Amino acid sequence: MSPRKRYWLMKSEPDDFSIDDLARVGTEPWTGVRNYQARNFMRDGMRVGDGVLFYHSNADVPGIYGLAEVASTAYPDPTQFKKASKYFDEKATEATPRWFLVDVGFVRKLAAPIPLSEIREHAADLGEEFALIRKGARLSVLPVSSAQWKLLLSLEKKR
């Protein structure tokens, strides 16, 4: 029996990498995560085929803009080893990497974004454990339950 599919929300600033960029390239390594909890979600929790809500943070209208899927198992983030990278980590070595990533593959853009303001309107239904709307939560990668995934996708406005 195969393991149950998991779901995630992954944030990216659209000026750095947007859902349109993912649509253009198809698959992309999710580099630059420098939070241990987010790293652990990618390294220990994600499996190929898991669903991803692609969230634009620091945008005019922050929200969910598309769907993606986990396209690889976790592997060391190569940016940690490159001195010229803003994600360089002098304590990381090839033998003992500190940061891991997964590749993310494009599935589709939403017909219209699901804005954070609308997501907040459904806070009671999403539950207190939903980190996106919890005060002080700033993770760039966070788990989404199956029920939360269904609820969030039900908010998509069809054109």
Side-chain angles (χ1 to χ4, degrees):
M1 187 170 166
S2 65
R4 208 175 86 228
K5 185 172 184 171
R6 295 180 182 180
Y7 301 98
W8 308 91
L9 184 140
M10 298 176 84
K11 296 180 186 176
S12 181
E13 294 184 9
D15 290 345
D16 287 338
F17 193 77
S18 71
I19 190 67
D20 292 325
D21 294 325
L22 186 59
R24 184 177 37 79
V25 299
T27 302
E28 182 76 5
W30 203 262
T31 59
V33 171
R34 295 298 182 265
N35 171 285
Y36 287 109
Q37 188 175 11
R39 178 220 45 201
N40 292 348
F41 287 143
M42 289 194 296
R43 185 190 66 192
D44 305 330
M46 290 186 174
R47 299 183 187 114
V48 173
D50 283 356
V52 174
L53 298 168
F54 195 110
Y55 184 92
H56 283 180
S57 61
N58 201 16
D60 290 338
V61 179
I64 300 167
Y65 279 72
L67 299 179
E69 67 181 8
V70 176
S72 75
T73 56
Y75 60 96
D77 181 339
T79 63
Q80 69 190 307
F81 309 122
K82 297 176 182 171
K83 287 187 179 180
S85 171
K86 67 180 179 178
Y87 301 115
F88 174 70
D89 185 333
E90 62 185 27
K91 294 180 181 175
T93 67
E94 302 260 349
T96 57
R98 294 176 65 167
W99 305 106
F100 289 77
L101 60 78
V102 295
D103 293 342
V104 176
F106 178 76
V107 173
R108 71 176 176 89
K109 284 180 65 171
L110 298 186
I114 303 168
L116 178 59
S117 59
E118 186 173 352
I119 294 168
R120 283 193 171 125
E121 291 173 15
H122 296 274
D125 297 323
L126 289 165
E128 289 180 24
E129 76 281 357
F130 189 57
L132 180 67
I133 53 178
R134 194 170 51 226
K135 284 196 187 281
R138 299 196 37 91
L139 283 178
S140 60
V141 176
L142 52 107
V144 175
S145 72
S146 179
Q148 291 164 341
W149 174 271
K150 289 175 188 165
L151 174 65
L152 290 166
L153 288 183
S154 76
L155 303 176
E156 181 182 6
K157 307 285 189 273
K158 303 295 183 190
R159 290 187 181 165

